């Protein structure tokens, strides 16, 4: 058979992810703070976008309840990103199918209401210099001095010449806890100075504030503090040289080594407990980043109210008057195409943000509905929950629920929780009906151990019996796994710790 070129027509179906649809899916996984950074970039690129300002149309009701955000009033959404993927409509280069004409936005959350009530517009203008932006109170704070800067200030006043150069080298190798990580012999060879000079400078550094800084071990750190308190006698020196025995609770052996009785040993242990094992941390300039909630949950007379935190969620509007002004002017083909792209991108962003907001509300509403006992009674009543269970209930894909619950936090009267916290594995109940959440089991284990006394330490087998009496069918190895996950030691370790506390009391 001869080979020859020919033309064929074939019809096939394929799932195509447009850039807009990919970006809409990506927005679901972003937190409110990440959304704010993303929107800021879009505002710089698109001249038709502008940051929205709350108006009277979005004023909260007189009773402070956001009716549109309550779970029993949430409208059924159709045409979101998850359904577009499932139906293979990703090839359509159009924004998400949302009724934007209705302009149904989520009302301002409690954060906005508190801020607007506490600070008037004139006060904001005064603090922000008339720019209209919220004042940055962090800019008024003085920068904190770090440990190395604090030590260098003392070194400059106590040393000079080559000694100051050596001190600079050593201080640069002190970690944030205050311990020296340098090898003195290698430092001496590297700088070409005798070892005794390095040791002399280190002794000067160890006399600096905070006491205990520059130590090369825990024993040396505690010894420096004991010398500062004039408690470093031969007995204390022997105790510091045998900290491993103290950690194991071998008190009789320690008393024989130190040559002291029970009363003196208890006094020495009490003295050690007052020392700081990491003196440099008090100068740490690193502060834990505050967690900003993405959702607020509170109980009202009509049920549970779920609101998006609007203080961290920017409102984006399209400047249509500016678009009309540009469209009515003289334009070439390239300018018209650019303006059309800007308008389409602006429309898509507004609709995608609105759809993201509603999807988050829908997922959070189902979580609150299924974990209502937790919000009413506490962690002991947390139920086992999976992503698939929530996805089936709201008729979405499991991956969509996973994206919505990633990096998002929920604030309720019981505290601040990550949305992933409510998805836990289950432990079968002794009665055979239902299951108990793993977090609830951990809470019971923690409460039982916290209530134990020094003469009645609970073993893992005893904990199993007590939990089964509460209706939780759990194995001993599971109890040990949960106990270790919470950082709680074994019964032997807890007995030693309570014995040490009793000695130091």
């Amino acid at each position: 058979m001869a080979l020859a070129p020919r033309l064929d027509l074939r019809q096939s179906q394929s799932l195509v992810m447009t850039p807009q649809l990919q970006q809409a899916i990506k927005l679901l996984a972003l937190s409110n703070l990440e959304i704010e950074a993303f929107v800021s970039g879009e505002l710089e690129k698109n001249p038709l976008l502008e940051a929205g300002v709350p108006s009277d149309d979005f004023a909260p009701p007189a009773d402070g309840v956001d009716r549109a955000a309550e779970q029993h009033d949430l409208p059924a959404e159709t045409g979101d990103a998850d359904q577009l993927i499932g139906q293979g409509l990703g090839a359509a280069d159009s924004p998400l199918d949302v009724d934007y004409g209705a302009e149904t936005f989520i009302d301002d959350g409690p954060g906005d209401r508190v801020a607007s009530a506490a600070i008037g517009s004139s006060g904001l203008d005064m603090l922000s210099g008339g720019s209209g932006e919220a004042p940055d109170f962090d800019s008024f704070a003085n920068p904190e001095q770090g440990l190395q800067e604090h030590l260098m200030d003392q070194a400059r006043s106590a040393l000079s010449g080559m000694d100051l150069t050596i001190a600079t080298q050593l201080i640069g190798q002190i970690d944030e806890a205050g311990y020296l990580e340098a090898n003195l012999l290698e430092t001496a060879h590297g700088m070409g100075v005798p070892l005794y000079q390095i040791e002399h400078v280190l002794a000067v550094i160890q006399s600096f504030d905070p006491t205990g800084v520059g130590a090369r071990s825990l024993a040396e750190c505690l010894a420096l503090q004991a010398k500062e308190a004039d408690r470093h006698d031969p007995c204390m020196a022997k105790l510091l040289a045998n900290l491993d025995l103290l950690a194991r609770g071998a008190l009789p052996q320690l008393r024989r080594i130190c040559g002291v009785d029970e009363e003196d040993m208890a006094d020495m242990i009490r003295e050690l407990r007052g020392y700081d094992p990491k003196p440099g941390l008090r100068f740490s300039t690193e502060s834990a980043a505050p967690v900003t909630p993405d959702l607020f949950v509170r109980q009202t007379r009509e049920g549970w109210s779920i609101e998006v935190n609007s203080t961290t969620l920017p409102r984006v509007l399209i400047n249509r008057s500016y678009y009309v002004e540009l469209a009515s002017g003289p334009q070439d083909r390239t300018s018209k195409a650019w303006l059309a792209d800007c308008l389409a991108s602006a429309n898509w962003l507004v609709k995608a943000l609105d759809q993201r907001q509603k999807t988050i509300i829908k997922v959070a509403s189902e979580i609150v509905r299924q974990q209502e006992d937790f919000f009413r009674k506490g962690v002991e009543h947390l139920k086992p929950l999976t992503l698939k269970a929530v996805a089936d209930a709201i008729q979405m894909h499991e991956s969509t629920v996973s994206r919505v619950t990633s990096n998002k936090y929920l604030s309720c009267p019981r505290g601040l929780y990550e949305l992933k916290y409510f998805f836990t594995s289950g432990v079968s109940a002794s009665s055979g009906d239902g299951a108990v959440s793993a977090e609830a089991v951990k809470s019971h284990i923690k409460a039982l151990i916290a209530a134990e006394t020094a003469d009645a330490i609970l073993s893992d087998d005893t904990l199993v019996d007590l939990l089964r009496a509460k209706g939780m069918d759990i194995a001993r190895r599971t109890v040990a796994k949960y106990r270790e996950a919470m950082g709680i030691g074994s019964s032997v370790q807890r007995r030693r710790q309570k014995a040490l506390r009793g000695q130091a009391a």
Side-chain angles (χ1 to χ4, degrees):
M1 184 176 66
L3 297 177
R6 64 177 184 177
L7 295 177
D8 289 336
L9 293 178
R10 295 181 181 179
Q11 185 177 6
S12 62
Q13 292 183 347
S14 62
L15 179 62
V16 179
M17 295 284 289
T18 63
Q20 288 186 342
L21 188 55
Q22 292 178 9
Q23 191 65 59
I25 294 175
K26 182 180 178 181
L27 290 179
L28 287 177
L30 300 181
S31 64
N32 282 5
L33 296 180
E34 293 171 333
I35 286 290
E36 185 178 9
F38 172 79
V39 169
S40 299
E42 293 295 322
L43 290 174
E44 294 179 359
K45 293 189 299 184
N46 197 330
L48 298 182
L49 287 174
E50 61 180 11
V53 180
S55 62
D56 295 338
D57 296 337
F58 300 101
D63 57 358
V65 179
D66 189 2
R67 307 298 180 191
E70 295 183 8
Q71 62 176 20
H72 54 271
D73 290 336
L74 284 175
E77 297 298 325
T78 59
D80 55 8
D82 184 65
Q83 294 176 352
L84 288 175
I85 297 174
Q87 298 173 5
L89 300 179
D93 190 12
S94 60
L96 299 178
D97 187 11
V98 182
D99 183 11
Y100 178 70
E103 293 187 354
T104 304
F105 291 97
I106 305 300
D107 194 8
D108 291 344
D112 274 349
R113 298 169 190 168
V114 174
S116 60
I119 303 178
S121 59
S122 59
L124 279 175
D125 291 340
M126 179 181 65
L127 290 174
S128 59
S131 62
E133 298 181 357
D136 184 11
F137 293 103
D138 292 337
S139 62
F140 296 100
N142 293 327
E144 298 182 3
Q145 188 181 41
L147 174 63
Q148 295 189 356
E149 291 80 1
H150 179 66
L151 295 177
M152 284 303 303
D153 289 344
Q154 299 176 74
R156 295 186 188 98
S157 60
L159 300 171
S160 61
M162 190 60 188
D163 288 345
L164 180 59
T165 303
I166 296 174
T168 304
Q169 179 72 15
L170 294 178
I171 290 174
Q173 300 183 70
I174 294 178
D175 62 14
E176 61 178 7
Y179 288 87
L180 179 65
E181 298 178 336
N183 184 289
L184 298 186
L185 186 59
E186 293 180 358
T187 304
H189 285 308
M191 300 187 68
V193 296
L195 179 61
Y196 70 85
Q197 189 173 1
I198 299 289
E199 294 175 343
H200 167 71
V201 174
L202 177 60
V204 176
I205 294 176
Q206 291 178 345
S207 65
F208 291 166
D209 178 70
T211 305
V213 72
R216 288 157 290 182
S217 64
L218 176 61
E220 187 177 11
C221 178
L222 298 178
L224 291 173
Q225 299 180 57
K227 292 176 182 178
E228 179 71 18
D230 197 19
R231 289 296 304 269
H232 192 264
D233 51 21
C235 296
M236 179 66 75
K238 293 178 181 179
L239 177 61
L240 293 175
N242 295 275
L243 290 178
D244 55 335
L245 296 178
L246 181 62
R248 294 201 303 263
L251 298 182
Q253 187 176 355
L254 276 176
R255 287 197 296 268
R256 289 194 301 269
I257 294 175
C258 299
V260 296
D261 55 15
E262 293 186 4
E263 183 179 354
D264 291 337
M265 178 59 65
D267 185 55
M268 293 165 64
I269 294 176
R270 189 182 305 109
E271 183 74 20
L272 285 184
R273 291 174 65 89
Y275 296 156
D276 187 359
K278 297 181 179 180
L281 291 184
R282 69 185 70 173
F283 290 90
S284 177
T285 57
E286 296 182 2
S287 57
V291 177
T292 303
D294 300 272
L295 294 163
F296 294 103
V297 175
R298 56 191 177 90
Q299 189 175 12
T300 63
R301 291 173 297 179
E302 301 179 4
W304 291 99
S305 172
I306 304 172
E307 305 177 30
V308 174
N309 186 3
S310 299
T311 58
T312 58
L313 188 65
R315 178 173 294 133
V316 181
L317 300 177
I318 301 176
N319 193 337
R320 300 188 180 276
S321 60
Y322 185 54
Y323 169 76
V324 172
E325 181 180 352
L326 292 178
S328 60
Q331 300 181 34
D332 54 14
R333 181 176 300 179
T334 305
S335 300
K336 289 182 180 180
W338 172 80
L339 187 60
D341 289 342
C342 289
L343 181 61
S345 177
N347 277 322
W348 164 81
L349 180 60
V350 172
K351 296 177 183 180
L353 290 176
D354 187 50
Q355 182 62 48
R356 171 189 177 274
Q357 206 165 338
K358 293 177 180 178
T359 304
I360 293 175
I361 287 289
K362 184 183 295 185
V363 173
S365 299
E366 182 61 24
I367 292 175
V368 172
R369 188 187 69 81
Q370 298 205 28
Q371 299 288 5
E372 186 173 2
D373 289 341
F374 164 82
F375 292 96
R376 292 183 181 275
K377 303 175 184 178
V379 68
E380 293 83 2
H381 299 272
L382 193 66
K383 299 177 181 178
L385 186 62
T386 61
L387 295 172
K388 188 177 185 304
V390 174
D392 293 342
I394 61 178
Q395 297 181 353
M396 285 187 175
H397 195 270
E398 187 176 346
S399 62
T400 303
V401 178
S402 178
R403 292 186 182 96
V404 169
T405 55
S406 297
N407 303 320
K408 296 179 183 63
Y409 291 84
L410 177 150
S411 177
C412 64
R414 295 197 173 274
L416 185 66
Y417 298 91
E418 189 178 7
L419 289 182
K420 292 287 188 183
Y421 173 82
F422 300 98
F423 298 92
T424 61
S425 58
V427 175
S428 59
S430 301
S431 58
D433 51 344
V436 183
S437 170
E439 291 295 331
V441 176
K442 291 180 181 179
S443 176
H444 283 287
I445 294 175
K446 187 175 182 180
L448 290 173
I449 293 178
E452 66 184 6
T453 58
D455 54 350
I457 301 297
L458 302 176
S459 64
D460 290 345
D461 291 326
T462 306
L463 290 173
V464 169
D465 296 336
L466 294 176
L467 292 174
R468 286 180 177 175
K470 294 177 178 289
M472 306 173 195
D473 188 9
I474 188 171
R476 181 184 179 279
R477 63 180 179 275
T478 307
V479 171
K481 181 180 70 174
Y482 288 168
R483 174 178 52 74
E484 292 172 358
M486 292 185 292
I488 300 175
S490 63
S491 58
V492 176
Q493 293 172 335
R494 299 199 305 274
R495 186 176 291 106
R496 289 173 178 171
Q497 291 173 0
K498 291 185 180 295
L500 288 176
R501 294 194 188 101
Q503 289 284 342

